[in-house]
Amino acid sequence: MVTGSCLDFVPDGGAFDGPFGVVSSFAALDELRARRATFTKPLAIVNFGDEEGARFGLACVGSRLTSGQLTVEQAYRLTDGEGDHPTPGGEGRRL
């Protein structure tokens, strides 16, 4: 199971839109651990970047990469408004 959100900022998106999803995922996990919940499958908490597509013009880049809908090679070919691409170890690491 995967839970979380993104830390993108979009105008009028709400001050805690994405961050609340990330932080509440950790709070939920803390509560489950306190109740000694056990899991039969792994649980992952994600913090995606550029989900809104503000920089590279494609929404849900992190989600698409995670689900296999976008390859790393395709992500590296994206460009921003200045013609820059995500790069390994640089912007691409934050996708």
Side-chain angles (χ1 to χ4, degrees), residues 43-65:
L43 172 66
I45 296 176
V46 297
N47 173 19
F48 291 125
D50 202 33
E51 285 296 277
E52 303 292 345
R55 174 147 187 212
F56 294 105
L58 178 66
C60 302
V61 171
S63 298
R64 289 174 193 243
L65 282 163

Side-chain angles (χ1 to χ4, degrees), residues 1 4 24 37 44 58 74:
M1 178 178 12
S24 63
L58 178 66
Q74 290 170 321

